[in-house]
Amino acid sequence: MPSPADTRFYPGEILDDSPGGGGAPRSWPLVSGVMNNLFSGVSIPADTENGSLSIRKVYFGRVAGASEFVTASAYVDNADVGTRAVMFQHGGTETPRGAAADALVTAGQFIPKPGDPDMTTILTNTLGRVIVVTGDTVTLAVGDLLRFFGPTGAHGVACVTAIVGTGVNTAGVATTTLDFTPLIGTSGVALRTDTLCVRCEPAPEDPVYYQNRRIPQPAFALGWKFVLDQPSASEIRVVDVFGLPLPGYTQIDPPPVGSPRNALPEWGGHVPVFRRGGRVLLRNGTNSEQATVLDIRWSNTLGHRLVLSHNLQHSYGDGGTIHSLSRISAGDDLVAPEAFWVARSINRTPIVTPQFHGSVTIGMTNLDGVATCELPWDNSGMPGGQGAAPPPPSGDTVYPLLSPDGTIPAQASYYHTHTLAVTLEATGAALPVESVSLSMEDGSVCWSLTASGRPALYDIFAESTTPQLVRVEIDSIDWLFLVESASRTRSGPADRSVTITGRSAAMVSGEPYALPSQWGNDGRVTARAVCENAQSGTAIEWHVLDWHIPDKVLTFAGSALALVQRVSEAIGAAVICDRASNTIFVVPRYPRMPADWAATTPNVVIAEEAIRSDSFVRADKPNYTSVWVSGQQQGVLGQVYLAGTDGSAQAPLVTDLLITDSVAVLQRGRSVLGGSGPQARITMTLPVMTGAGRPGVLSPGQLVQVGTWRGVVRSVAVNATLPTVEQTIGVERHFPYP
Amino acid sequence: MSTLTNGSTTANLSDDLQWVDEFAWNPVAQKTGRTITGAFWVDAQPVTAGRAVTLQGDDNTGWASRADVVALHALAATTGPLTLTLRGAAHSVVFDHEAGAAIEARAVVGYADVAAGDFYILTVRLRTL
């Protein structure tokens, strides 16, 4: 039964107000009531006197294995005077904060309900008001462009939007209070990180850059120097900063001829004129993409707000559609995890109490109840994510591994007594087997069985007309196999050996047991539904992010199992079946990237003392830091970076018909980048230790710590010839990580 | 008198035959080795049945008549479990055809004209079930 208790809220990976904020869901959920778990602590007096707007990405997800959760409504509670919050859906899982913030400000599509914060106020918070020392010779006018210089050498351009008044400061110097909108900054200026420059390509008369983005906060401080470019090069300095809202935007387009801003050298002497249908080049740092102007929503004296169609996907992830801003409303069926945004606005209010705390509560309701999460903050100014729990070694957010966590400890000696039983599943009859080898290779879907024994095996299996199930139990760990072949060799009267081989029971979903079919999709479906609906009797446990496949994109011929493999291949996921049940797991090959392994609790700790033999083979791959992943006819295109790199080492383009969503792009990218770089394959033979705190037979996907280094188990083999039972694991280790 | 019976046929064995490997028997199978750091590992497994029962005479004791040897030899040509009654205790056994001849008999004195009463020094190899 779907229940709110199965619901989790996951924060995005990047909990700050940079344009790239947001990111993929973290693997651990928000804990209700933990201080600064999502929003940063409020900095006093910077945030409270100037106001601040924070936008955070939150994913609505559910406990692994829980049923789909249909929301009846989603809401956000504003608990505090002086704080306003709103929750909205926008873009896909890869949409960064910058795009969401822009959508929030392009508020024409946002219809607030009673009690919602006034988005216009948030909008105007972004403009600045300063009092500058004007001196005797400088006359400021609306439309003047100011060059500003920060104490660290940073500089940029701002535009005067209103003259509020003139006066004399306490030093007796003449001042002018003016409103401005910062336009362009250089690197090193705080606002620069949130700017997006737009160049108007088709208009040769305006081959210039233009800033059209909102700045989150007035980024100027006392002492900053402004230079009035025209008509004279006089300097003015900021003596005070306000953050008051600016009423009365007007559209001046094209700008007045003769405006001093036209002569600004950085702009090539012109201000661009945007037209509907014109093509523009979007720049964000070193990245660029082309887009088409669909609409001009509003403009102030200089700043246009454009609605653009993205011809190329970049980090916006919305497949060539216009970003839409819509409220999560009753009846929305959220496919977990679904991203939405929570915007918190701290009003400009004087602090009357020394301790400033606040919180918002986000929630989801359906007919079964309410799931809520309280997100408090304090006045510590600490960044968000302070209360985030460390990633658990396993749990509801990490896909369930098939064997328990544990330790193979260091001991002076290892004494084990093993049991081995091989029985016919139908009758429970013991089979005369002398030795058993079980293995799951890297990339393999299933366990393979090779068992040799007495001639009686020949009578049971050689001429069988139906597939027979065999249960292998080693130290109380069960495997279930479909016996697929029996071979016998005879030499002389007494020398007879029979060998049987088989594969895991879940292979009934594949050939030759399931006949190949033609698969396609009518209407939009999710990848998970495609895989689940194809099965008859085989359970699919889906532990990757689901994504939508548009109408009639999927075409495939093969068995139901091959279909699961095909869909999983699109996102680079691994398909592995359970040891002893008819269940298939779809799991990420890199649930954590190699760089994160050191910070992750390992599933199994192996002491070197226990290793009976090992081998080390260095197996380096190109050290890619980014990859373009593309769909085809109805797909999307996206680039996936390794965090902390410039992404300049690009892997070859990956193309797949089923890359139809940015979620798929991200997962495929992780798979490609996770497998690249310097690495080694280590195989080691270990004892099989069972009991409390012992891992038994390891599973592919487990993170192991061996001595001082860590790696992920990729292959497992068990050899049982009593009295000896050993397991041999293959481990993928990456450098330079420990 | 000890006997070896396969249900319908009974062969006689002298009580003087010695069970020479009665305690040369490992009730546990074991394999050992060293790990890469020199730790000692032992895999052990209790084993059941398969215990060797080698009944052996020598130059002075446990002689069998040729008739008994022939009867034993005929019994060894059959397969299936046998019952060994040895010193009053019954054991379910099979002939051990793997570790040499199941019935080994050497004449005490080699005569050209053998007779049923000639004595042989006997070794019988069995395994318990």
Side-chain angles (χ1 to χ4, degrees), chain A residues 412-414 416 418 609 611-612, chain B residues 35-37 40 42-45:
Chain A
S413 63
Y414 296 85
H416 304 292
H418 301 286
E609 283 79 358
I611 301 172
R612 296 186 178 181
Chain B
T35 73
I36 58 171
T37 61
F40 183 53
V42 183
D43 282 337
Q45 170 75 14

Side-chain angles (χ1 to χ4, degrees), chain A residues 317-469:
Chain A
D318 61 352
T321 59
I322 303 167
H323 286 298
S324 66
L325 182 64
S326 62
R327 179 189 306 284
I328 299 171
S329 55
D332 282 350
D333 183 359
L334 299 177
V335 178
E338 185 81 22
F340 54 92
W341 298 88
V342 183
R344 175 193 71 178
S345 168
I346 302 292
N347 294 352
R348 290 178 305 281
T349 48
I351 302 303
V352 292
T353 54
Q355 295 296 316
F356 183 88
H357 297 275
S359 72
V360 298
T361 301
I362 57 175
M364 295 277 180
T365 63
N366 74 353
L367 296 178
D368 299 311
V370 183
T372 62
C373 188
E374 187 189 2
L375 305 167
W377 59 86
D378 59 17
N379 62 344
S380 65
M382 296 298 287
Q386 294 298 302
S394 63
D396 60 2
T397 58
V398 177
Y399 70 86
L401 294 156
L402 307 181
S403 50
D405 293 354
T407 304
I408 298 180
Q411 296 174 185
S413 63
Y414 296 85
Y415 183 91
H416 304 292
T417 301
H418 301 286
T419 61
L420 167 66
V422 184
T423 53
L424 208 55
E425 181 69 1
T427 63
L431 296 174
V433 166
E434 292 172 336
S435 68
V436 170
S437 293
L438 315 174
S439 65
M440 182 174 257
E441 302 298 327
D442 188 7
S444 172
V445 177
C446 63
W447 286 83
S448 299
L449 162 75
T450 304
S452 57
R454 305 315 306 152
L457 290 174
Y458 177 85
D459 302 327
I460 298 168
F461 295 107
E463 296 173 10
S464 167
T465 53
T466 55
Q468 303 212 54
L469 282 172

Side-chain angles (χ1 to χ4, degrees), chain A residues 142-143 249-256 261 271 299-304:
Chain A
V142 172
Y249 294 107
T250 56
Q251 178 168 347
I252 305 173
D253 188 12
R261 60 181 170 262
V271 170
S299 63
N300 61 9
T301 46
L302 280 178
H304 301 267

